[in-house]
Amino acid sequence: MLVKDDAITIGQLVRECPRRARVFEDLKIDYCCGGKLSLQEACQKRGLNVVTVWEQLESEDSMNRDGSEYIDSDAMSLTKLCDHIEQTHHAYLKAELPRLDQMTAKVAKVHGGEDPRLLQVRHSFEALRAELEPHMMKEEVILFPMIRKMEVHRDQNPDQPLPASHCGTIRNPIRQMLLEHDHAGDALHAIAELTDQYTAPDWACNTYRAMLDALQTLQLNMHQHVHKENNVLFIKAAELEEQLQIV
Ligand SMILES: [Fe+2]
Ligand SMILES: [Fe+2]
């Protein structure tokens, strides 16, 4: 619940709701070491209108936990679903993975001595990023174009069998993507365990809290993302290929 008191400190605002750290990052307001300043003081210092900043905080608070809006993926064409996944989930990961890279590195460096599990969080995050970045590239460059092409073929040449692609059946790249989703799921699971399901210790600073919030959002977003691919897109794409019969 956002109580609009201009005298509240930046640190307190982030403490109440760690996702607000995103707003302060965008505005270049230091919420960690500079968290003692009131919102009024911080806005004055940066020449910002405090009313506009309250509006931004309000809009951040009202987002879904995973930062996405609900969509009915089952009702979309496969082409639309590929577009949606790229424009929302892939775009989110491309923006968020570099941000989390900095946060996990900083928290591991500063607090890894007090809690060595933070070094393992960093290690698991690095493994996750190394898996996901080439994974998205393979979907965008190989698998999704194959899927879009199948729909075009179905709509334009419904009586012709589908020409074989260089990958053979679409089930081959799908099998590889499923395997990589499992690896990403394992890394996310390890991070959740290592952080006691994203619970901050009493002594955690605001960067640590913002990292936990971002990691939890990452897990929620990945659940949605992988669900749309594994349970909707990939199944329907394999079925469509079967209907079209490859020659
Ligand atoms: Fe994806
Ligand atoms: Fe994927």
Side-chain angles (χ1 to χ4, degrees), residues 4 8 15 54 59 63 75 86 95 97 106 123 169 172 193 196 222 239:
K4 293 184 181 175
I8 193 168
R15 177 129 195 178
W54 278 122
S59 124
M63 294 272 280
E86 284 183 0
L97 292 175
K106 187 174 173 188
H123 182 72
T169 165
N172 292 332
E193 294 272 298
D196 300 323
M222 278 296 294
E239 284 171 358

Short mmCIF file of all heavy atoms in Angstrom, two decimals, residues 4 8 15 54 59 63 75 86 95 97 106 123 169 172 193 196 222 239:
data_model
loop_
_atom_site.label_atom_id
_atom_site.label_comp_id
_atom_site.label_asym_id
_atom_site.label_seq_id
_atom_site.Cartn_x
_atom_site.Cartn_y
_atom_site.Cartn_z
N LYS A 4 1.38 8.30 0.29
CA LYS A 4 2.17 9.36 -0.34
C LYS A 4 2.61 10.42 0.65
O LYS A 4 1.97 11.46 0.80
CB LYS A 4 1.35 9.99 -1.48
CG LYS A 4 1.13 9.02 -2.62
CD LYS A 4 0.40 9.70 -3.75
CE LYS A 4 0.16 8.73 -4.89
NZ LYS A 4 -0.65 9.29 -5.95
N ILE A 8 8.94 10.45 3.49
CA ILE A 8 9.39 9.06 3.64
C ILE A 8 10.74 8.89 2.91
O ILE A 8 10.98 9.54 1.88
CB ILE A 8 8.32 8.07 3.08
CG1 ILE A 8 8.63 6.63 3.50
CG2 ILE A 8 8.19 8.17 1.57
CD1 ILE A 8 7.48 5.67 3.24
N ARG A 15 12.24 -0.71 0.84
CA ARG A 15 12.10 -1.77 1.84
C ARG A 15 10.66 -2.30 1.84
O ARG A 15 10.42 -3.51 1.89
CB ARG A 15 12.47 -1.20 3.20
CG ARG A 15 12.29 -2.17 4.32
CD ARG A 15 13.51 -2.28 5.16
NE ARG A 15 13.40 -3.46 5.98
CZ ARG A 15 14.31 -3.86 6.81
NH1 ARG A 15 15.43 -3.18 6.91
NH2 ARG A 15 14.14 -4.93 7.54
N TRP A 54 5.75 9.91 -7.69
CA TRP A 54 4.72 9.12 -7.00
C TRP A 54 3.88 8.33 -8.01
O TRP A 54 3.54 7.17 -7.78
CB TRP A 54 3.78 10.03 -6.18
CG TRP A 54 4.30 10.42 -4.83
CD1 TRP A 54 4.51 11.69 -4.37
CD2 TRP A 54 4.66 9.54 -3.76
NE1 TRP A 54 5.00 11.66 -3.09
CE2 TRP A 54 5.10 10.35 -2.67
CE3 TRP A 54 4.69 8.15 -3.60
CZ2 TRP A 54 5.52 9.82 -1.47
CZ3 TRP A 54 5.12 7.62 -2.39
CH2 TRP A 54 5.53 8.45 -1.34
N SER A 59 2.36 3.13 -10.40
CA SER A 59 2.18 2.23 -11.55
C SER A 59 3.04 0.97 -11.38
O SER A 59 2.62 -0.13 -11.72
CB SER A 59 2.46 3.01 -12.83
OG SER A 59 3.43 2.40 -13.59
N MET A 63 1.63 -3.37 -11.03
CA MET A 63 1.95 -4.42 -12.02
C MET A 63 1.72 -5.80 -11.42
O MET A 63 1.83 -5.98 -10.22
CB MET A 63 3.42 -4.32 -12.42
CG MET A 63 3.78 -3.07 -13.14
SD MET A 63 3.57 -3.22 -14.90
CE MET A 63 5.06 -4.10 -15.35
N ALA A 75 -5.55 -19.30 -27.45
CA ALA A 75 -6.45 -18.76 -28.48
C ALA A 75 -5.69 -18.06 -29.61
O ALA A 75 -6.29 -17.64 -30.59
CB ALA A 75 -7.42 -17.77 -27.82
N GLU A 86 8.45 -13.37 -28.08
CA GLU A 86 9.64 -12.54 -28.34
C GLU A 86 9.49 -11.15 -27.75
O GLU A 86 10.42 -10.62 -27.14
CB GLU A 86 9.88 -12.42 -29.86
CG GLU A 86 10.46 -13.68 -30.45
CD GLU A 86 10.76 -13.53 -31.94
OE1 GLU A 86 10.53 -12.45 -32.52
OE2 GLU A 86 11.23 -14.52 -32.51
N ALA A 95 16.50 -7.49 -21.09
CA ALA A 95 16.71 -6.31 -20.25
C ALA A 95 17.11 -6.71 -18.83
O ALA A 95 17.93 -6.05 -18.19
CB ALA A 95 15.41 -5.49 -20.19
N LEU A 97 18.41 -9.80 -17.57
CA LEU A 97 19.60 -10.62 -17.27
C LEU A 97 20.84 -9.76 -17.04
O LEU A 97 21.57 -10.02 -16.07
CB LEU A 97 19.83 -11.68 -18.37
CG LEU A 97 18.76 -12.79 -18.43
CD1 LEU A 97 19.02 -13.71 -19.63
CD2 LEU A 97 18.71 -13.63 -17.15
N LYS A 106 27.42 -7.94 -7.39
CA LYS A 106 27.65 -6.99 -6.30
C LYS A 106 27.34 -7.62 -4.94
O LYS A 106 28.12 -7.52 -3.99
CB LYS A 106 26.78 -5.75 -6.53
CG LYS A 106 27.04 -4.62 -5.56
CD LYS A 106 26.25 -3.38 -5.93
CE LYS A 106 26.37 -2.31 -4.85
NZ LYS A 106 25.48 -1.18 -5.09
N HIS A 123 26.80 -18.15 -8.87
CA HIS A 123 27.23 -19.22 -9.77
C HIS A 123 26.03 -19.78 -10.56
O HIS A 123 26.09 -19.95 -11.78
CB HIS A 123 27.90 -20.32 -8.93
CG HIS A 123 28.41 -21.45 -9.73
ND1 HIS A 123 29.52 -21.34 -10.53
CD2 HIS A 123 27.93 -22.72 -9.90
CE1 HIS A 123 29.73 -22.48 -11.15
NE2 HIS A 123 28.78 -23.33 -10.79
N THR A 169 12.51 -33.01 -39.01
CA THR A 169 11.24 -32.68 -38.36
C THR A 169 11.42 -31.59 -37.30
O THR A 169 12.49 -31.48 -36.68
CB THR A 169 10.62 -33.95 -37.71
OG1 THR A 169 9.61 -33.52 -36.80
CG2 THR A 169 11.65 -34.77 -36.97
N ASN A 172 12.87 -32.13 -33.69
CA ASN A 172 14.30 -32.12 -33.31
C ASN A 172 14.68 -30.85 -32.55
O ASN A 172 15.17 -30.94 -31.41
CB ASN A 172 15.19 -32.32 -34.53
CG ASN A 172 15.04 -33.72 -35.10
OD1 ASN A 172 14.73 -34.66 -34.35
ND2 ASN A 172 15.22 -33.87 -36.39
N GLU A 193 16.11 -22.25 -3.61
CA GLU A 193 16.52 -22.99 -2.40
C GLU A 193 17.60 -22.21 -1.63
O GLU A 193 17.53 -22.07 -0.42
CB GLU A 193 17.11 -24.35 -2.79
CG GLU A 193 16.11 -25.29 -3.40
CD GLU A 193 15.39 -26.12 -2.36
OE1 GLU A 193 16.08 -26.89 -1.67
OE2 GLU A 193 14.16 -25.98 -2.24
N ASP A 196 16.33 -19.31 0.45
CA ASP A 196 15.16 -19.64 1.31
C ASP A 196 13.89 -19.06 0.69
O ASP A 196 13.13 -18.33 1.34
CB ASP A 196 15.35 -19.08 2.73
CG ASP A 196 16.58 -19.64 3.41
OD1 ASP A 196 16.85 -20.84 3.19
OD2 ASP A 196 17.27 -18.89 4.12
N MET A 222 9.61 -16.72 -15.95
CA MET A 222 10.07 -17.91 -16.67
C MET A 222 9.02 -19.02 -16.63
O MET A 222 8.88 -19.78 -17.60
CB MET A 222 11.40 -18.41 -16.06
CG MET A 222 12.62 -17.68 -16.56
SD MET A 222 12.91 -17.88 -18.34
CE MET A 222 13.29 -19.64 -18.43
N GLU A 239 1.92 -30.81 -33.83
CA GLU A 239 0.66 -31.32 -34.40
C GLU A 239 0.44 -30.76 -35.81
O GLU A 239 0.03 -31.49 -36.71
CB GLU A 239 -0.53 -30.91 -33.51
CG GLU A 239 -0.63 -31.73 -32.25
CD GLU A 239 -1.66 -31.18 -31.26
OE1 GLU A 239 -2.28 -30.12 -31.53
OE2 GLU A 239 -1.84 -31.81 -30.21
#
